[in-house]
Amino acid sequence: MKPLAIAAALAAALIASQAQAATKTAVFAGGCFWSVEKFFEATPGVTAAVSGYSGGTSANPTYENHAGHLEAVKVTYDPAKITYAQLVDRFYHNIDPTDPRGQICDTGPSYRTAVFTANAEERAVAEAAKAKYAKELGATITVTTRNAAPFWNAEGYHQDFAKKNPAHYERYRVGCGRDRVLRVVWGAQAGR
């Protein structure tokens, strides 16, 4: 390889690693990970959203065996373009934070809602949002604030499900009544 080509390759690798270092991650559980992944992928400043499992004690959970884990999404974002507080706000406006059974038509322990926090600053942001929305909605907020836990990627067929299977996802979303419920909870602020 020529010295100029080597220098260019090294420069490209350095730029890529600096871009990666500039991003942060956050984990949210908001019911079915298909919906959470979809709305975060459409969020400016988010560079990736990955469906998975978090919060349980077992290693390598699967869709068929993830007892104790929540369906969650790991969000990679550029903090120069979107703040953690804005991510938390986006999360809240795309879920029913008052549903103690799960999310809308998806009920059960693995569909409950949570914000997984990596440090005291994130915990303070999550708790402030919970208090704010409890007051704003005049309701008990059932979203829990949990310490960050290992995140396990879901199977490949769950990743980008709404993009890869738009008709199936649309039937699920409409059949579940997700948009209707979010409008009841949030009014014009739903989905923002």
Side-chain angles (χ1 to χ4, degrees), residues 73-115:
V73 172
K74 180 170 64 174
V75 177
T76 303
Y77 67 100
D78 180 347
K81 295 180 180 176
I82 189 167
T83 66
Y84 182 77
Q86 290 170 317
L87 288 175
V88 172
D89 181 67
R90 177 99 165 121
F91 171 69
Y92 266 91
H93 286 89
N94 281 276
I95 63 165
D96 175 358
T98 67
D99 187 344
R101 303 169 306 117
Q103 270 306 281
I104 307 163
C105 67
D106 297 310
T107 59
S110 67
Y111 295 115
R112 293 192 177 128
T113 55
V115 176

Side-chain angles (χ1 to χ4, degrees), residues 109-178:
S110 67
Y111 295 115
R112 293 192 177 128
T113 55
V115 176
F116 289 91
T117 60
N119 54 48
E121 183 182 333
E122 287 183 1
R123 180 170 282 279
V125 168
E127 288 297 313
K130 185 175 182 174
K132 173 186 171 182
Y133 295 125
K135 184 175 181 180
E136 184 178 314
L137 297 175
T140 299
I141 300 299
T142 60
V143 177
T144 59
T145 303
R146 300 174 70 167
N147 291 331
F151 180 87
W152 305 91
N153 288 1
E155 297 79 357
Y157 67 91
H158 287 299
Q159 305 303 332
D160 295 315
F161 189 86
K163 286 181 188 174
K164 293 176 187 173
N165 304 283
H168 183 131
Y169 178 75
E170 188 67 12
R171 283 190 305 276
Y172 158 76
R173 187 184 62 75
V174 170
C176 191
R178 187 173 189 85

Side-chain angles (χ1 to χ4, degrees), residues 40-58:
F40 273 126
E41 284 180 335
T43 302
V46 169
T47 59
V50 177
S51 292
Y53 313 98
S54 194
T57 57
S58 63

